[in-house]
Amino acid sequence: MRRLPCLSRQVGLLLAALLPVIAGGCSGKESLRGDLVLILADRAPDQPSTLFEELVGSALTFAGPLDFPNDSGDPEGTERALLLELLTGKRSGQEQGRSYEWLLSLPQSAKLSGYRSLCVSNHLDTIELFGMEQHFDYGLFPAVASKAPAANQGHGTAAALAALLGDYEARGIDRGATFLLADLTGADGQLEPTLASIRGELFGPGSLGGSSIPRRQTLAILFTDPDSSLRAVIVGPDIQPAQNADGVAPRDFLPTLAGRGDIKVTAYLAGVVVPGFLSGRDLLQAE
């Protein structure tokens, strides 16, 4: 008869297994994976934009067409399909080799991988329609307050970050990796105030907790207007600045950010959790 280890030995083995996790959580305030920011906007700014121009100067950019069907004649339906493709990595209605009962979304996968997820959007009803509102912490924030003057651009991004950082301060714990989705489509002039709201906290120069260790962040922007002068911008540590004439698809951003943030994308197939099948490509990987 096989003898089971005593309780004290079991506890000892459990503590030994947890030590690397505990040590990793107490090793300092720097997030090992860094923050992830995904912004949707209609087009690159036509007017001078200091923060955007600084960003582009150190980014990988794409200037080709938007790889997305836009012939439905239903702008609202097109917007929903684009957002669905962006957040699930799979084109709506296009089966490629395997059909899933449900493919976990980027915000859900990020949350399951230990990220705190924030959403700022001009189309909160679409997020709720997909059932994704529960995958964001602190609820959903409108991109611009409904009563704020256009010139003021009172921004939901600042409110979302204030809620996140206030929670960490109240709990007395170190800030972890953060994923922010900012859907700014459908309104002009929101990109600059969005970048201003997250500068130093989710992108750009700065350090965590006053340390000398620089932040590790990845910021990606997709421009959805077919006439935009730029299609996509990706910037972050170890990303070499370059200009690329290729186009991109919305579904390319999930594998790109998942790879950068060590996010495991899974799905349900016949009631079983399996690795997710993504039809997009990692924009940071060479062909």
Side-chain angles (χ1 to χ4, degrees):
M1 181 176 180
R2 184 178 180 183
R3 184 178 180 180
L4 297 175
C6 65
L7 179 60
S8 61
R9 179 174 174 78
Q10 289 178 312
V11 173
L13 291 173
L14 177 60
L15 288 175
L18 289 176
L19 276 176
V21 178
I22 297 173
C26 301
S27 60
K29 294 179 178 295
E30 170 68 1
S31 168
L32 294 178
R33 291 172 295 183
D35 302 314
L36 299 174
V37 178
L38 175 57
I39 298 176
L40 274 78
D42 292 321
R43 63 190 65 82
D46 297 322
Q47 302 297 323
S49 172
T50 302
L51 292 180
F52 181 73
E53 291 169 5
E54 288 180 3
L55 194 71
V56 171
S58 58
L60 170 65
T61 63
F62 296 82
L66 178 67
D67 180 12
F68 184 79
N70 190 21
D71 54 1
S72 66
D74 177 13
E76 186 175 344
T78 299
E79 167 207 306
R80 283 199 293 263
L82 187 148
L83 198 57
L84 183 66
E85 177 175 326
L86 178 85
L87 296 179
T88 64
K90 180 175 176 293
R91 180 156 291 176
S92 177
Q94 184 180 19
E95 302 296 343
Q96 295 192 10
R98 191 174 298 177
S99 177
Y100 291 116
E101 298 171 10
W102 182 248
L103 181 65
L104 300 190
S105 66
L106 175 56
Q108 185 177 12
S109 297
K111 191 170 182 178
L112 291 173
S113 297
Y115 283 78
R116 304 305 295 271
S117 297
L118 304 177
C119 177
V120 177
S121 176
N122 288 327
H123 308 287
L124 299 180
D125 54 339
T126 301
I127 300 291
E128 294 174 344
L129 180 66
F130 294 155
M132 294 182 187
E133 72 277 6
Q134 61 184 319
H135 305 148
F136 293 98
D137 299 299
Y138 310 107
L140 305 176
F141 293 80
V144 176
S146 58
K147 297 182 180 180
N152 184 25
Q153 295 291 344
H155 223 274
T157 308
L161 274 175
L164 171 72
L165 300 177
D167 192 23
Y168 279 116
E169 183 177 357
R171 295 169 182 261
I173 57 178
D174 295 345
R175 184 172 83 72
T178 301
F179 167 70
L180 168 67
L181 168 68
D183 171 21
L184 310 178
T185 55
D188 293 328
Q190 293 185 16
L191 182 57
E192 181 86 2
T194 299
L195 295 177
S197 296
I198 65 177
R199 181 175 173 80
E201 186 62 47
L202 294 180
F203 96 95
S207 60
L208 213 59
S211 70
S212 60
I213 304 175
R215 294 182 181 281
R216 297 179 65 251
Q217 310 127 326
T218 301
L219 170 62
I221 306 176
L222 171 66
F223 297 106
T224 61
D225 190 324
D227 297 326
S228 176
S229 58
L230 277 180
R231 181 58 52 215
V233 174
I234 308 176
V235 63
D238 304 321
I239 297 178
Q240 297 301 316
Q243 296 178 346
N244 195 314
D246 291 347
V248 300
R251 63 185 182 276
D252 293 334
F253 285 83
L254 195 155
T256 301
L257 293 180
R260 286 286 290 183
D262 193 24
I263 294 174
K264 307 303 181 191
V265 180
T266 57
Y268 290 111
L269 178 63
V272 177
V273 177
V274 297
F277 174 80
L278 301 176
S279 57
R281 62 191 174 107
D282 186 339
L283 297 171
L284 299 177
Q285 297 296 323
E287 295 291 345

